């Protein structure tokens, strides 16, 4: 019998080992490329065990290392963390297989370096998921930022350089200037860095100061991409597609909204928020972000850019769900992490597949090529339905809960925002398969998509459907979270 | 035997490098002189570790020089406060000496190497003496020993670049003026109190109130020390002195020289005078605090626009000194402790960064500017990795030593209800990422010359690896540094706070 | 008022010398004159200490077995002996630097030297530019 704490290590350590071993295997490419999926499977095993244990109401926490008095690196699995950890580790398997297909199909340089940093980014994301206190969270949040920099600038050309600068300056700047003092503020107020299920600030924080502290967190968590600090995400799209897929649709941005939700629920506490009304401004800002970025997405011709803006808008759903400060909405927000991750990673996979197979990156160039890559575009179609929220795709559940939560807490305008955004979603996502299938071809292109790309894409696509039916454990876990 | 050593430790840490410097100058062989120097610094470092142990046993060690009982005789005091700069100086000087083995002969004529090592030890002895002595006038003597030796060391850079001479000259003149200011201050205080012993001085000052000569003496002393500590705007000697000194000397000076003076500044502010005194409160809030904030930004901005890398790092040092003095200026126990934490960590960070740049200029055999950095990331992966890690440490990224100091400085400033100070600190440290990234981008993105093939030399990079390791280690396990610093702040500020 | 001010004329002398010295250090462009100024500045401090030590009617501090003798304070004199040594060392080092500067730059005027330094500095940046900055394709 392995103790529950060990499962934390079984989950978070494989990517670290992959990162350490990969450079040693730079000569033996097949072995090196097999490391990622294998690591992913081990991690997922640990994550599933943790998931079930948390579902049974067990408490898993461990203090790993004492940095100084009162400062620890500690892990403590919240239901939210268990979900995020599961999502990140399972999708890592597919992303790892996919990246092998992509990197080889595209004949990218410096593949060893790519896999090394890819693994460490996953490690950081998993550590964030299981982090037990604010400082651990912050530490791995920063590790995630710095480890993705070499990935974003992988091509090492001028465009990558500029994007890298924007990426770093926004993410590092926001986290250093706002998030760190916010964390220290909480530390000074409550005397510890710990989080608790019902929030820690009640009784310590002056009600008038609550919106300011929340603002410091909201703008400090740049990875959640609220509107004035969202620019880094489209910029990061210069990275190879596996990076955009796993990191900028799952690990990094989800780490952002995960942190945001954790702050809202476990630092402020839902009750505290609804009592003080500290998060009302955040509802407005998130709604604004949601609408504006949906509109921007419509005008983007580059597939990945369009998906990036779509991601920003979907992230705001989650932030909005947290900010509504009602149990149902929070549940919906957490579920949206899962469903959106499965859907968006599929969309990115397809975008990458189209790029590798046909060297097409613009939507307007896609006209009429539907037949030659019908399988991929079908996957794209299904995942789009999930993002839009059409049953029987997973996305419909989370949207349902979000809308229910909005209605419960009485913010009816949020419902309108959701509706408009859904229409826009449908428009800008459906345009892609529609153009490919129904418009006339301009010129012939030979399409050849590697099988290592096709398989993971179909798998994640299937996942969006499976999640619709295998939804109960997630819902149960979220109800533990908000109870 | 060990008993005698233990009993005489306070003087031995000073005497060991001082005496050996006289001996080293006689050694004709460059390699042997290096070995002897290395050995001396190692012994001194061991002595300082022993002292650390002793200090934590007895809380404070007083050593009466020549058995003249203080306050009449000269007293050497080592307590929990002074042990921190002693450890910094001896640790860094050992690592730097180790590092210098190949670097020094590349820049200095063989005939003068043993002389350089002699001056090197003399400078170290001066710095340690500065920290250990409990006598205000003896302090002046050590101040001058260290600064004259440093000036001579900086001037040795003239074999490579003649600008070193002017840098050394400016350093000498400003240093001498600063030291003289300090002596005037000491003279005035002596005139009022009739004692030179710092502890005695402190107790007699509390009996005197409202004496103009006391204020004047205090002012002279503080200004004099601020010149030595390169507190803005008295820093102008520093960038050039660091930039044109022989590479190994830059490393040593950047990591240690200002630290000793900063310690003296803290000692005068908090221990000789009293923090509860209005004079000190006014000085802290209206002089040191604003100056530190300006230093933080001025240093960082100058570094952003600087193209010569050694100068860039020197400008960054000015900003970092600003953080330390800022922490002192806030004046709470937590903030003073944070200042000491940063003092230690900054020594490690800046020492490592200078080492990395020095190694690069050693391999390339030319001066490092932002343009020569092109493509070095690929050509020298080990040096580059160390450089990146220590840059991250300077920027205060988690899991490095720099993060710990930033964390504690911010925490102290927010607790002292200076949220705006905390925001300014963070803003300036976010700005510092710009110049660090400028360098990393140059190494990482730009294509270097085609024929750039470099084989990294273990004798050069082992010391760099060691100090980089320390940067990470003290980011993961900071308890020793943090606890020592808090103990030091306790002792420095007394128990009342 | 005036008499009390004149009564401490020795301090006035110290003050005057101090200001002259400091002015020379800051105001002069010539490196040699700066050192002259520094020496005057330091000498003024020596006088300050000596003034403290002297007590009206005091004798040299040699034990003479006569009761109630007033001794001058010997300590400042001793301190100044040390300070003089330090001062001499500083001056010597400074002068030797000036000599070397003169032989390297051919001038000891600050303007000339900083002009040369500026040229040197830009040369260093520019010559290193021969390594042209190119981005990877």
């Amino acid at each position: 019998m392995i103790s529950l704490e060990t499962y934390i290590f079984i989950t978070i350590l494989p990517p670290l080992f992959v990162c350490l071993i990969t450079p040693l295997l730079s000569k033996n490419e097949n072995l090196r490329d097999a490391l990622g999926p294998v690591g992913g499977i081990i991690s997922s095993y640990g994550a599933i065990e943790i998931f079930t244990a948390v579902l049974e109401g067990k408490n898993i926490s461990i203090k790993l290392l004492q940095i100084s008095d009162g400062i620890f690196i500690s892990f403590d699995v919240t239901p939210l963390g268990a979900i995020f950890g599961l999502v990140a580790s399972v999708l890592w398997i597919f992303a790892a297989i996919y990246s092998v297909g992509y990197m080889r199909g595209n004949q990218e340089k410096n593949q060893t370096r790519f896999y090394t940093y890819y693994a460490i980014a996953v490690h950081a994301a998993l550590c964030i998921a299981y982090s037990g206190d604010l400082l651990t969270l912050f530490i791995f949040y920063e590790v995630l930022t710095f480890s993705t920099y070499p990935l974003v600038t992988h091509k090492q050309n001028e465009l990558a350089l500029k994007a890298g600068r924007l990426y770093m300056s926004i993410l590092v700047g926001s986290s250093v200037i706002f998030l760190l003092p916010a964390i220290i503020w909480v530390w000074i107020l409550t005397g510890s860095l710990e989080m608790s299920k019902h929030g820690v600030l009640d009784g310590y924080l002056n009600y008038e100061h609550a919106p300011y502290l929340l603002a410091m967190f909201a703008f400090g968590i740049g990875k959640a991409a609220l509107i004035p600090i969202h620019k880094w995400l489209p910029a990061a799209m210069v990275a190879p597609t596996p990076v955009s897929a796993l990191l900028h649709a799952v690990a990094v941005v989800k780490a952002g909204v995960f942190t945001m939700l954790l702050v809202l629920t476990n630092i402020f506490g839902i009750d505290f928020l609804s009592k003080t009304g500290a998060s009302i401004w955040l509802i407005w800002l998130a709604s604004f972000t949601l609408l504006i970025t949906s509109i921007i997405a419509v005008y983007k011709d580059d597939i990945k850019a369009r998906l990036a803006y779509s991601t920003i808008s979907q992230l705001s759903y989650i932030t909005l769900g947290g900010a509504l400060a009602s149990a149902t909405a929070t549940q919906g927000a957490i579920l949206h992490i899962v469903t959106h991750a499965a859907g968006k990673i599929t969309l990115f996979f397809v975008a990458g597949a189209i790029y590798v197979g046909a060297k097409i990156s613009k939507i307007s160039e896609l006209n009429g090529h539907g037949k030659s890559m019908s399988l991929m575009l079908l996957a794209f179609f299904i995942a789009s339905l999930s993002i839009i929220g059409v049953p029987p795709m997973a996305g419909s559940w989370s949207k349902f809960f979000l809308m229910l939560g909005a209605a419960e807490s009485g913010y009816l305008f949020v419902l309108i925002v959701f509706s408009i955004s859904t229409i826009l979603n449908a428009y800008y996502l459906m345009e892609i398969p529609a153009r490919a299938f129904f418009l006339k071809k301009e010129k012939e292109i030979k399409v050849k998509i590697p099988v290592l790309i096709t398989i993971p894409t179909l798998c994640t696509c299937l996942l969006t459907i499976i999640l619709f039916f295998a939804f109960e454990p997630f819902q149960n876990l979220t109800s533990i979270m908000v109870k | 035997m060990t008993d005698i050593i233990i009993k005489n430790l306070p003087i031995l840490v000073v005497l060991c490098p001082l005496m050996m410097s006289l001996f080293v100058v006689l050694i004709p062989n460059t390699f042997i002189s290096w070995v002897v120097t290395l050995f001396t610094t190692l012994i001194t470092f061991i002595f300082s570790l022993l002292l650390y142990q002793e200090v934590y046993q007895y809380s404070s060690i007083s050593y009466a020089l020549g058995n003249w009982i203080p306050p009449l005789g000269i007293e050497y005091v080592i307590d929990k406060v002074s042990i921190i700069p002693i450890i910094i100086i001896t640790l860094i000087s050992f690592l730097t000496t180790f590092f210098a083995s190949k670097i020094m002969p590349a820049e200095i004529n063989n005939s003068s190497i043993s002389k350089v090592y002699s001056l090197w030890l003399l400078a170290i002895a001066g710095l340690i003496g500065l920290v250990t002595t409990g006598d205000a006038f003896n302090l002046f003597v050590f101040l001058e020993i260290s600064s004259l030796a440093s000036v001579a060391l900086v001037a040795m850079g003239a074999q490579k670049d003649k600008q070193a001479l002017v840098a050394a000259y400016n350093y000498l003149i400003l240093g001498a003026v600063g030291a003289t200011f300090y002596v005037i201050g000491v003279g005035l205080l002596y005139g009022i109190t009739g004692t030179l012993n710092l502890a005695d001085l402190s107790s007699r000052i509390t009996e005197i109130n409202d004496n103009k000569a006391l204020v004047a003496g205090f002012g002279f002393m503080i200004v004099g020390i601020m010149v030595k500590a390169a507190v803005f705007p008295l820093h102008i000697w520093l960038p050039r002195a660091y930039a044109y000194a022989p590479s190994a000397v830059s490393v040593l000076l950047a990591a240690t020289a200002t630290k000793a003076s900063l310690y003296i500044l803290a000692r005068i502010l908090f221990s000789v005078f009293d923090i509860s005194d209005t004079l000190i409160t006014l000085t802290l809030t209206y002089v040191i605090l604003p100056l530190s904030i300006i230093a933080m930004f001025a240093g960082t901005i100058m570094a952003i626009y600087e193209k010569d890398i050694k100068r860039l790092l020197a400008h960054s040092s000015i900003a970092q000194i600003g953080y330390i003095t800022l922490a002192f200026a806030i004046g709470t126990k937590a903030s003073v402790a944070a200042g000491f934490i940063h003092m230690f960590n900054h020594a490690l960070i800046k020492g490592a960064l200078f080492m990395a740049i020095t190694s690069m200029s050693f391999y390339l055999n030319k001066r490092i500017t932002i343009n020569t950095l092109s493509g070095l990331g690929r050509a020298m992966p080990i040096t580059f990795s160390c450089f990146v890690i220590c840059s991250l440490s300077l920027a205060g990224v988690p899991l490095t030593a720099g993060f710990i100091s930033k964390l504690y400085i911010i925490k102290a400033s927010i607790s002292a209800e200076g949220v705006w100070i905390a925001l300014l600190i963070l803003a300036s440290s976010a700005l510092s990422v710009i110049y660090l990234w400028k360098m990393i981008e140059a190494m990482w993105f730009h294509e270097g010359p085609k024929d750039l093939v470099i084989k990294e030399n273990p004798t050069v990079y082992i010391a760099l690896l060691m100090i980089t390791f320390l940067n990470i280690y003290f980011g993961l396990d900071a308890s020793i540094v943090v606890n020592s610093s808090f103990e030091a702040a306790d002792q420095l500020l007394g128990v009342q706070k | 008022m005036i008499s009390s001010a004149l009564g401490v004329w020795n301090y006035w002398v110290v003050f005057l010398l101090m200001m002259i010295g400091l002015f020379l250090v800051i105001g002069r462009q010539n490196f040699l004159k700066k050192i002259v100024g520094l020496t005057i500045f330091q000498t003024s401090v020596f006088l300050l200490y000596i003034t403290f030590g002297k007590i009206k009617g005091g004798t040299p501090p040699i034990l003479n077995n006569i009761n109630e003798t007033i001794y001058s304070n010997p300590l400042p004199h001793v301190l100044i002996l040390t300070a003089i040594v330090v001062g001499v060392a500083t001056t010597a080092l400074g002068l030797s630097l000036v000599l070397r500067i003169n032989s390297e730059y051919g001038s000891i005027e600050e303007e000339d030297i900083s002009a040369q330094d500026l040229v040197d500095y830009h040369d260093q940046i520019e010559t290193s530019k021969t390594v042209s900055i190119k981005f990877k394709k």
Side-chain angles (χ1 to χ4, degrees):
Chain A
M1 180 64 198
I2 310 173
S3 74
L4 283 173
E5 282 73 28
T6 329
Y7 285 116
I8 293 183
F9 296 112
I10 292 177
T11 315
I12 63 173
L13 287 185
L16 193 60
F17 281 131
V18 171
C19 151
L20 293 176
I21 299 168
T22 304
L24 304 178
L25 296 176
S26 57
K27 295 274 164 358
N28 189 341
E29 288 187 3
N30 288 332
L31 203 58
R32 176 197 68 192
D33 293 351
L35 279 176
V38 171
I41 290 167
I42 302 172
S43 271
S44 310
Y45 165 69
I48 291 168
E49 290 289 341
I50 289 175
F51 187 86
T52 45
V54 174
L55 200 56
E56 287 162 16
K58 283 184 186 139
N59 194 15
I60 312 174
S61 67
I62 185 167
K63 279 202 162 69
L64 191 61
L65 179 82
Q66 183 175 16
I67 292 181
S68 170
D69 277 350
I71 304 178
F72 294 93
I73 290 191
S74 67
F75 296 109
D76 182 2
V77 185
T78 55
L80 177 57
I83 291 177
F84 177 45
L86 184 65
V87 170
S89 58
V90 169
L91 291 182
W92 182 36
I93 308 175
F94 301 117
I97 300 171
Y98 179 86
S99 49
V100 175
Y102 183 91
M103 298 304 274
R104 288 188 180 179
N106 229 4
Q107 285 155 1
E108 296 270 354
K109 283 180 189 158
N110 300 317
Q111 294 194 12
T112 307
R113 187 183 75 208
F114 177 85
Y115 291 121
T116 310
Y117 285 102
Y118 202 74
I120 200 159
V122 174
H123 171 70
L126 289 172
C127 289
I128 291 175
Y130 296 147
S131 58
D133 61 67
L134 277 173
L135 205 75
T136 313
L137 189 71
F138 179 78
I139 288 173
F140 288 104
Y141 183 94
E142 291 287 357
V143 171
L144 188 56
T145 311
F146 282 95
S147 61
T148 42
Y149 176 79
L151 296 172
V152 170
T153 58
H154 184 80
K155 291 193 178 114
Q156 284 181 287
N157 54 23
E158 196 165 358
L159 197 65
L161 174 90
K162 283 202 177 123
R165 265 188 207 162
L166 193 65
Y167 186 79
M168 289 302 286
S169 54
I170 293 181
L171 287 184
V172 175
S174 63
S175 70
V176 162
I177 296 179
F178 295 115
L179 184 56
L180 184 61
I183 288 173
I184 296 174
W185 192 355
V186 173
W187 186 12
I188 291 169
L189 284 175
T190 64
S192 86
L193 287 159
E194 311 239 318
M195 297 181 278
S196 121
K197 204 175 155 190
H198 301 290
V200 291
L201 286 175
D202 206 0
Y204 292 105
L205 182 65
N206 194 332
Y207 285 4
E208 284 161 16
H209 293 162
Y212 300 108
L213 181 57
L214 183 63
M216 283 173 85
F217 273 115
F219 293 115
I221 305 167
K223 291 194 169 87
L226 280 170
I227 219 162
I229 43 171
H230 66 288
K231 277 279 181 196
W232 63 270
L233 188 55
M237 290 301 145
V238 296
T241 308
V243 176
S244 312
L246 182 66
L247 300 175
H248 299 118
V250 181
V252 174
V253 291
K254 290 291 154 26
V257 284
F258 167 81
T259 312
M260 188 78 89
L261 283 181
L262 206 62
V263 166
L264 289 170
T265 56
N266 282 15
I267 297 295
F268 284 91
I270 295 175
D271 297 337
F272 183 79
L273 282 178
S274 57
K275 196 163 56 184
T276 56
S279 62
I280 294 172
W281 67 271
L282 188 58
I283 299 176
W284 286 94
L285 182 66
S287 309
F288 180 70
T289 309
L290 201 157
L291 276 183
I292 292 292
T293 49
S294 299
I295 293 168
I296 295 174
V298 173
Y299 289 99
K300 289 288 168 187
D301 190 31
D302 190 284
I303 304 178
K304 282 174 77 179
R306 183 174 286 193
L307 292 180
Y309 276 100
S310 159
T311 308
I312 300 174
S313 121
Q314 298 292 323
L315 293 174
S316 293
Y317 275 73
I318 301 171
T319 309
L320 183 55
L324 283 170
S326 85
T328 323
T330 310
Q331 250 180 307
I334 299 170
L335 293 171
H336 205 64
I337 290 184
V338 185
T339 56
H340 173 249
K344 197 43 79 53
I345 199 171
T346 315
L347 295 184
F348 271 109
F349 279 174
V350 175
I354 293 171
Y355 180 70
V356 173
K359 298 281 169 230
I360 291 175
S361 61
K362 295 235 180 331
I363 294 165
S364 51
E365 292 168 7
L366 209 58
N367 294 357
H369 291 298
K371 292 246 169 54
S372 45
M373 36 195 168
S374 54
L375 204 58
M376 285 295 102
L377 283 165
L378 186 68
F380 192 94
F381 179 70
I382 294 171
S384 302
L385 289 183
S386 173
I387 301 273
I388 297 162
V390 182
M393 310 304 158
S396 56
W397 279 118
S398 51
K399 264 203 175 157
F400 171 70
F401 275 101
L402 279 170
M403 288 186 155
L404 199 64
E408 261 179 20
S409 43
Y411 291 101
L412 290 179
F413 79 93
V414 173
L415 285 178
I416 301 169
V417 168
F418 278 156
S419 322
I420 297 175
S421 150
T422 305
I423 296 167
L424 290 170
N425 272 343
Y427 176 74
Y428 64 70
L429 287 178
M430 283 307 161
E431 188 192 352
I432 296 166
R435 270 174 181 267
F437 283 116
F438 300 126
L439 285 184
K440 254 228 220 92
K441 208 181 285 189
E442 275 154 17
K443 58 173 187 225
E444 282 299 325
I445 296 177
K446 227 177 114 190
V447 179
K448 189 169 169 288
I449 299 174
V451 72
L452 281 178
I453 286 186
T454 324
I455 293 174
T457 313
L458 293 178
C459 289
T460 52
C461 178
L462 265 178
L463 216 56
T464 58
I465 305 173
I466 295 169
L467 275 176
F468 179 81
F469 299 103
F471 194 60
E472 217 185 335
F474 290 97
Q475 198 199 338
N476 292 342
L477 208 56
T478 50
S479 50
I480 295 179
M481 180 79 187
V482 295
K483 209 183 283 169
Chain B
M1 178 62 191
T2 46
D3 244 27
I4 295 173
I5 288 180
I6 298 273
K7 231 169 79 188
N8 291 310
L9 272 178
I11 189 69
L12 276 175
V13 278
V14 185
L15 272 190
C16 183
L18 194 63
M19 289 298 149
M20 290 311 278
S21 81
L22 302 179
F23 176 65
V24 167
V25 77
L26 301 173
I27 302 172
N29 184 310
T30 57
F31 181 72
I32 297 176
S33 63
W34 174 72
V35 170
V36 173
T37 313
L38 183 69
F39 188 66
T40 314
T41 49
L42 178 64
I43 295 279
T44 321
F45 179 52
I46 293 170
F47 282 159
S48 69
L49 287 181
L50 288 174
L51 261 180
Y52 181 84
Q53 218 174 6
E54 288 286 297
V55 160
Y56 272 80
Q57 205 171 349
Y58 302 110
S59 158
S60 164
I61 306 169
S62 163
Y63 183 88
L65 210 62
N67 271 338
W68 292 89
I69 307 302
L72 287 180
I74 291 175
E75 183 192 16
Y76 278 24
V77 184
I78 295 179
D79 55 13
K80 287 171 183 170
V81 194
S82 58
I83 192 68
I84 293 177
I86 293 178
I87 295 270
I88 295 175
I89 293 163
T90 51
L91 171 66
I92 298 289
S93 58
F94 168 63
L95 286 173
T96 319
T97 316
F98 189 77
F99 175 71
S101 66
K102 279 274 182 302
I103 306 288
M104 204 67 108
E107 293 187 9
I108 307 283
N109 286 341
N110 273 352
S111 57
S112 34
I113 280 195
S114 55
K115 289 173 208 155
V116 169
Y117 279 125
S118 166
L119 286 169
W120 177 275
L121 285 176
L122 198 62
I124 294 168
L127 290 172
I128 301 175
L130 192 60
V131 178
T132 44
T133 185
D135 182 278
F137 199 84
N138 197 230
L139 202 155
F140 159 73
V141 175
F142 278 120
L143 207 59
E144 282 300 55
I145 290 178
S146 68
S147 78
L148 288 181
S150 315
V151 167
L153 279 173
V154 170
M156 293 310 284
Q159 295 188 356
K160 198 89 175 160
D161 190 330
K162 65 181 178 181
Q163 296 189 55
L165 290 172
V166 185
Y169 179 83
N170 284 333
Y171 186 11
L172 176 84
I173 295 289
L174 271 170
V177 170
T180 313
F181 263 73
Y182 173 79
V183 179
I184 298 171
V186 170
L188 289 173
L189 289 189
Y190 177 70
I192 306 161
T193 60
T195 181
L196 285 171
N197 185 295
L198 288 174
D200 200 27
L201 203 59
S202 163
S203 61
R204 294 202 193 184
I205 282 171
T206 44
E207 292 161 16
I208 301 164
N209 30 29
D210 201 27
N211 184 323
K212 289 213 176 78
L214 185 76
V215 179
F218 168 74
F220 274 115
M221 272 172 102
I222 288 293
V223 171
I225 292 297
M226 272 159 70
V227 173
K228 295 282 183 181
V231 176
F232 188 89
L234 304 170
H235 66 279
I236 34 177
W237 57 269
L238 185 141
R240 280 169 151 227
Y242 284 9
Y244 297 107
S247 301
V249 175
S250 306
V251 181
L252 181 74
L253 291 185
T256 59
T258 51
K259 305 292 177 298
S261 307
L262 282 170
Y263 158 77
I264 301 298
L265 188 66
R267 178 119 260 182
I268 293 172
L269 284 172
F270 302 121
S271 164
V272 175
F273 288 79
D274 192 354
I275 177 81
S276 52
D277 197 27
T278 39
L279 175 63
I280 300 296
T281 335
L282 289 178
T283 315
L284 289 179
T285 34
Y286 292 110
V287 181
I288 298 192
L289 185 72
L291 286 183
S292 316
I293 291 172
I294 297 172
M296 267 166 18
F297 284 96
T300 310
I301 290 166
M302 283 189 288
I304 290 173
Y305 289 104
E306 185 58 66
K307 289 201 168 72
D308 184 282
I309 302 299
K310 273 171 95 179
R311 276 201 196 196
L312 187 155
L313 292 177
H315 285 309
S316 135
S317 281
I318 292 161
Q320 300 293 323
I321 291 166
Y323 291 124
I324 300 172
T325 48
L326 180 71
F328 289 157
I330 294 170
T332 61
K333 194 171 274 180
S335 77
V336 174
F340 278 106
I341 296 170
H342 193 50
M343 200 191 271
F344 182 80
N345 289 340
H346 178 244
L348 289 180
I349 297 167
K350 221 14 100 49
L353 285 177
F354 266 103
M355 269 189 200
I357 291 299
T358 299
S359 329
M360 288 173 195
S361 85
F362 169 74
Y363 295 133
L364 292 181
N365 197 19
K366 61 177 149 190
R367 200 167 174 80
I368 298 290
T369 67
I370 194 77
N371 299 321
T372 36
L373 280 179
S374 304
L376 293 191
R378 229 155 308 215
M380 37 184 95
I382 300 175
T383 315
F384 176 66
S385 317
C386 293
F387 183 81
V388 170
I389 291 171
C390 299
S391 301
L392 296 181
S393 186
L394 184 67
V397 172
L399 302 179
T400 57
F403 177 65
I404 302 294
S405 26
K406 197 158 79 178
L407 189 67
Y408 278 97
I409 294 179
I410 304 283
K411 191 181 175 213
S413 57
I414 295 183
S415 313
E417 297 186 1
V419 179
W420 61 277
I421 296 178
L423 288 179
L424 287 175
I425 295 171
L426 289 167
S428 113
S429 85
L431 281 179
S432 72
V433 177
I434 295 178
Y435 62 76
L436 295 171
W437 222 254
K438 189 172 81 173
M439 293 187 278
I440 292 174
E441 270 178 1
M443 291 186 217
W444 178 249
F445 283 97
H446 298 167
E447 204 167 4
K450 289 273 179 301
D451 51 343
L452 188 67
V453 180
I454 288 162
K455 205 167 170 297
E456 287 176 282
N457 193 334
T459 43
V460 177
Y461 68 63
I462 285 179
L464 182 59
L465 281 178
M466 283 199 280
I467 198 164
T468 310
F469 169 76
L470 288 180
N471 264 306
I472 296 174
Y473 178 78
F474 285 113
L476 287 174
D477 182 11
S479 332
I480 305 174
V481 182
V482 172
N483 291 343
S484 310
S485 302
F486 271 90
E487 293 269 353
D490 271 350
Q491 209 166 37
L492 198 58
L493 293 183
V495 200
Q496 83 277 7
K497 284 237 161 186
Chain C
M1 179 68 198
I2 292 172
S3 64
S4 74
L6 288 180
V8 290
W9 63 271
N10 39 359
Y11 288 97
W12 284 109
V13 171
V14 168
F15 180 71
L16 195 67
L17 282 177
M18 208 179 268
M19 287 306 116
I20 290 172
L22 206 53
F23 172 75
L24 285 177
V25 173
I26 297 165
R28 290 292 140 179
Q29 299 293 311
N30 186 305
F31 279 2
L32 201 59
K33 287 181 184 164
K34 272 175 186 274
I35 290 185
V36 173
L38 186 68
T39 316
I40 295 176
F41 183 51
Q42 284 174 332
T43 311
S44 75
V45 182
F46 302 161
L47 284 179
L48 178 74
Y49 271 69
I50 303 296
T51 308
F52 287 148
K54 175 66 184 166
I55 294 169
K56 258 189 196 142
T59 66
I62 301 166
L63 210 58
N64 56 6
N65 291 331
I66 304 169
N67 286 341
E68 296 175 21
T69 318
I70 300 169
Y71 297 116
S72 283
N73 186 348
L75 189 64
H77 299 77
V78 181
L79 295 180
I80 283 323
L81 218 54
T82 318
I84 287 172
V85 174
V86 172
V88 168
T90 312
T91 314
L93 186 56
L95 288 175
S96 62
L97 278 175
V98 171
L99 265 180
R100 287 277 282 129
I101 289 173
N102 192 34
S103 67
E104 291 280 345
Y105 287 80
S107 165
I108 52 168
E109 291 295 327
E110 200 168 6
E111 277 177 19
D112 299 347
I113 290 165
S114 39
Q116 284 189 37
D117 272 356
L118 207 61
V119 173
D120 275 6
Y121 175 70
H122 284 293
D123 277 356
Q124 275 165 357
I125 305 287
E126 289 301 318
T127 50
S128 61
K129 229 177 205 162
T130 49
V131 183
S132 65
I133 299 170
K134 261 182 282 166
F135 286 101
K136 299 215 116 195
K137 284 279 142 52

